[in-house]
Amino acid sequence: MDIDYDSQQSKWSIGLFECGGNPSTFFITWGMPCVTFGQIAEVVDEGKHSCFAHGLFYNILMTVSCQWLYACTFRRKLRAMFGLPSAPCNDCCVHLCCHSCALCQEHAELKYRGFDPCNGWIGLPKAHPLMPPSMERF
């Protein structure tokens, strides 16, 4: 399935409060948000850090209730990747007020755009311009 990224850049694929659309993502996010966040962050930062590293740092920030600040930076990067609007309000407000819903929305957006956050950076679609270069054997 070929995805035309340019034609899909005007709005989010699901609304902020449609977090129940994918039950497995919903339950994982509500029970262990570090997992969903780690998956999102690994793809958004193009594999620079692993899902585990992002999730661990997220958990450390949870101890002082600042994980939403870290997550809002990745929402901003995700929006920039796809030209998405800052809706219904700015990224930090979204994560402060509706953190789990924001994570579900971001996870769904990556899936809609052809990524598989569960597989991390290596799960990128073959034709995506952000795909890391393949190492061919000679």
Side-chain angles (χ1 to χ4, degrees):
M1 177 178 141
D2 290 334
I3 299 173
D4 181 7
Y5 292 97
D6 293 330
S7 68
Q8 299 173 0
Q9 294 186 355
S10 60
K11 63 179 186 168
W12 290 90
S13 61
I14 67 167
L16 181 62
F17 301 110
E18 296 177 45
C19 52
N22 183 328
S24 61
T25 302
F26 173 80
F27 287 113
I28 289 171
T29 303
W30 284 90
M32 297 185 304
C34 60
V35 172
T36 303
F37 173 76
Q39 292 172 348
I40 295 164
E42 181 180 351
V43 172
V44 171
D45 87 350
E46 302 175 1
K48 292 179 186 125
H49 299 93
S50 69
C51 172
F52 179 78
H54 284 295
L56 181 63
F57 190 63
Y58 178 95
N59 269 341
I60 291 168
L61 292 174
M62 277 182 74
T63 63
V64 291
S65 299
C66 289
Q67 75 280 7
W68 62 272
L69 284 169
Y70 186 45
C72 81
T73 63
F74 283 90
R75 183 175 180 90
R76 187 175 306 119
K77 290 176 186 180
L78 178 82
R79 284 190 319 94
M81 283 173 71
F82 301 116
L84 296 166
S86 181
C89 53
N90 74 50
D91 301 322
C92 287
C93 286
V94 169
H95 272 283
L96 177 62
C97 299
C98 307
H99 185 61
S100 294
C101 291
L103 291 176
C104 287
Q105 183 186 38
E106 293 159 16
H107 195 272
E109 191 65 34
L110 287 172
K111 289 181 95 168
Y112 176 77
R113 302 286 175 159
F115 295 87
D116 186 354
C118 297
N119 288 334
W121 178 241
I122 59 171
L124 285 172
K126 298 292 183 208
H128 195 277
L130 296 177
M131 180 83 174
S134 64
M135 300 298 291
E136 296 184 33
R137 293 184 181 179
F138 296 120

